[in-house]
Amino acid sequence: FFPLTGAGKTPTLGGGFHANLGKESRAQTLQNGKRQIHHLGNQLQLNQHCLDTAFNFFKMAVSKHLTRGRKMTHVIAACLYLVCRTEGTPHMLLDLSDLLQVNVYVLGKTFLLLARELCINAPAIDPCLYIPRFAHMLEFGDKNHEVSMTALRLLQRMKRDWMHTGRRPSGLCGAALLVAARMHDFRRTVKEVIRVVKVCESTLRKRLTEFEDTPTSQLTIDEFMKIDLEEECDPPSFTAGQKKLKIQQLEKALSKKLEDFEGEISSYQDEIEIELENSRPKAKGVFANFTKDDSIEDNASSILGEEEAEDEELEAAANHLNKDFYDELNEKDRVKRNEDGECRNGNETLVRPPALESLLGPLPTAASLGITESIKECISTKDQEPGE
């Protein structure tokens, strides 16, 4: 390899051979890059100044070896978008993605790397730059300029209310164009605007909701076109953070109140239980010692009830047996008398049954048997020991 400036030198091989080979390869890389930059730039309708600036960015990337391991088209697209950002042209990274048929996130990653390594601060694009382009695509006809001016006024108001910081400009442009079209009696649907600005439907509705929370949205159309509100709103993210803090404070206050109410309710429950305990009838006699224990008290009440029921059953059985005994004797005597009367007269005669003493003789009494108490008194008395 003989360089143009060194015709008198003899060709040498070795270290200089690889160095000259690298220079020739870099020149070829720059030439290919310049050709592709002009091709893409003409499709984006960029002027010559932008194309030259993009080529300078590409040469800086090649000198810092940023093209190694990356596709040439990705690096060239990132250089062109870097020019669009620095020069303020109405182009989006999505336009380069459509031209190259490359994922926009891949191009975005390359662009961020280039801006960081080349130490170039890419300023945020003003959303107002996209309004004429998007308005032309929405085809407003003769009112294109009026709709564009209204959308620009809406965007300026959004910027004063801190809605543009940290947001993609296409979403703000879509919201402003949708509102401006409705203000000028154009029935543009959300889907039509989305197809033009290329954002998600939820993003567009979120921008509209944020604009609805500002005082400007409460004005009429005539007032909006004539009045400029001097006050500025807080950023939507700050407002959302304040709402979250208020909600957390309210939740803490409510939890404290609930704890206080629960404490009062528990104290009232304790008082009610104490009053119910005091108002219960106390056991007498042998079971008075067990009143402190609720379970024993319940058992004692059940035992008392069972004994009283047994006493009543014994008394009823004794009365029933005595009555049956007398009725059986009376029935036998009456049948015998009836049979005798029918044999004599043929008529039924009613004869009073004889007394039990006449049949069995004198009945023994409690005194004669040595019993000092009657059966009822024995049943009604309680033994001193519960086991007996």
Side-chain angles (χ1 to χ4, degrees):
F1 295 92
F2 295 92
L4 295 176
T5 56
K9 293 182 179 180
T10 58
T12 57
L13 296 176
F17 175 77
H18 296 286
N20 293 332
L21 181 63
K23 291 180 181 179
E24 184 70 21
S25 176
R26 178 170 296 182
Q28 188 176 359
T29 302
L30 293 176
Q31 186 178 0
N32 292 334
K34 189 173 185 179
R35 184 179 67 253
Q36 293 185 23
I37 284 173
H38 279 270
H39 179 67
L40 275 178
N42 291 330
Q43 287 182 327
L44 293 174
Q45 297 179 356
L46 294 174
N47 55 22
Q48 188 62 35
H49 172 69
C50 293
L51 297 179
D52 295 339
T53 308
F55 181 63
N56 291 333
F57 287 154
F58 181 73
K59 285 195 294 185
M60 293 169 63
V62 171
S63 64
K64 288 195 172 186
H65 308 290
L66 297 178
T67 56
R68 292 181 179 178
R70 295 177 180 85
K71 290 187 177 182
M72 179 77 71
T73 53
H74 296 179
V75 178
I76 288 170
C79 292
L80 285 171
Y81 184 65
L82 197 58
V83 172
C84 295
R85 290 284 292 270
T86 54
E87 298 294 329
T89 59
H91 295 90
M92 297 186 296
L93 190 61
L94 204 60
D95 300 330
L96 291 164
S97 175
D98 291 338
L99 289 176
L100 297 176
Q101 294 297 307
V102 180
N103 190 352
V104 66
Y105 295 102
V106 176
L107 296 182
K109 186 177 179 180
T110 309
F111 161 72
L112 291 176
L113 174 75
L114 230 65
R116 184 177 69 250
E117 293 295 331
L118 299 180
C119 300
I120 297 173
N121 186 17
I125 297 181
D126 190 359
C128 299
L129 295 174
Y130 298 104
I131 290 295
R133 172 187 172 186
F134 291 148
H136 178 72
M137 295 171 68
L138 286 171
E139 298 178 356
F140 292 115
D142 297 336
K143 291 188 176 181
N144 191 4
H145 181 70
E146 297 178 5
V147 175
S148 299
M149 291 297 105
T150 306
L152 286 172
R153 187 174 178 83
L154 284 167
L155 272 178
Q156 290 173 358
R157 186 67 248 184
M158 291 179 181
K159 288 169 64 177
R160 292 186 64 182
D161 290 334
W162 292 89
M163 287 180 58
H164 73 293
T165 305
R167 268 65 185 272
R168 286 194 293 174
S170 54
L172 293 172
C173 292
L177 283 170
L178 183 62
V179 176
R182 300 287 175 86
M183 290 170 66
H184 289 278
D185 299 329
F186 285 100
R187 299 295 299 175
R188 294 291 183 269
T189 62
V190 177
K191 290 184 178 180
E192 292 176 353
V193 177
I194 287 172
R195 196 178 297 114
V196 170
V197 299
K198 297 179 181 179
V199 294
C200 181
E201 182 178 356
S202 60
T203 304
L204 185 62
R205 293 191 182 278
K206 193 173 182 180
R207 298 291 92 81
L208 292 172
T209 305
E210 292 174 355
F211 181 70
E212 184 182 1
D213 295 335
T214 59
T216 309
S217 63
Q218 307 301 324
L219 301 175
T220 62
I221 296 177
D222 296 334
E223 291 174 349
F224 173 73
M225 299 304 293
K226 295 178 181 178
I227 299 174
D228 287 332
L229 297 178
E230 295 181 358
E231 60 180 2
E232 296 180 358
C233 295
D234 294 326
S237 58
F238 176 77
T239 307
Q242 292 297 317
K243 287 182 179 179
K244 288 183 180 179
L245 289 176
K246 288 182 180 179
I247 290 172
Q248 291 177 358
Q249 292 175 358
L250 289 175
E251 288 179 353
K252 290 181 180 179
L254 288 175
S255 63
K256 289 182 180 179
K257 288 184 179 179
L258 286 175
E259 290 177 358
D260 297 338
F261 286 135
E262 286 177 358
E264 292 181 2
I265 290 170
S266 61
S267 63
Y268 289 147
Q269 287 178 350
D270 295 339
E271 292 179 0
I272 291 169
E273 289 178 358
I274 292 170
E275 291 296 331
L276 289 174
E277 186 70 24
N278 294 331
S279 63
R280 288 176 183 171
K282 296 182 179 180
K284 298 179 181 179
V286 182
F287 302 100
N289 297 326
F290 302 101
T291 54
K292 295 181 180 180
D293 194 354
D294 295 336
S295 62
I296 297 177
E297 185 177 356
D298 296 337
N299 295 333
S301 62
S302 63
I303 292 170
L304 285 172
E306 290 176 0
E307 287 188 356
E308 291 176 358
E310 289 178 359
D311 295 343
E312 292 177 358
E313 289 177 358
L314 287 173
E315 187 176 355
N319 293 332
H320 183 67
L321 289 174
N322 292 334
K323 184 179 178 182
D324 291 343
F325 181 67
Y326 279 109
D327 291 341
E328 188 177 354
L329 290 177
N330 290 335
E331 185 67 25
K332 288 181 180 180
D333 189 51
R334 187 176 64 78
V335 170
K336 186 176 181 181
R337 294 286 185 183
N338 289 338
E339 289 177 356
D340 293 341
E342 286 176 359
C343 294
R344 292 176 184 178
N345 303 326
N347 295 326
E348 185 178 358
T349 59
L350 296 175
V351 181
R352 187 182 182 86
L356 192 60
E357 289 83 354
S358 62
L359 297 173
L360 301 176
L363 293 174
T365 61
S368 64
L369 293 174
I371 300 173
T372 58
E373 294 178 350
S374 63
I375 295 175
K376 291 183 179 180
E377 292 176 354
C378 291
I379 291 173
S380 62
T381 57
K382 303 292 186 296
D383 294 333
Q384 295 297 325
E385 296 179 4
E388 296 179 356

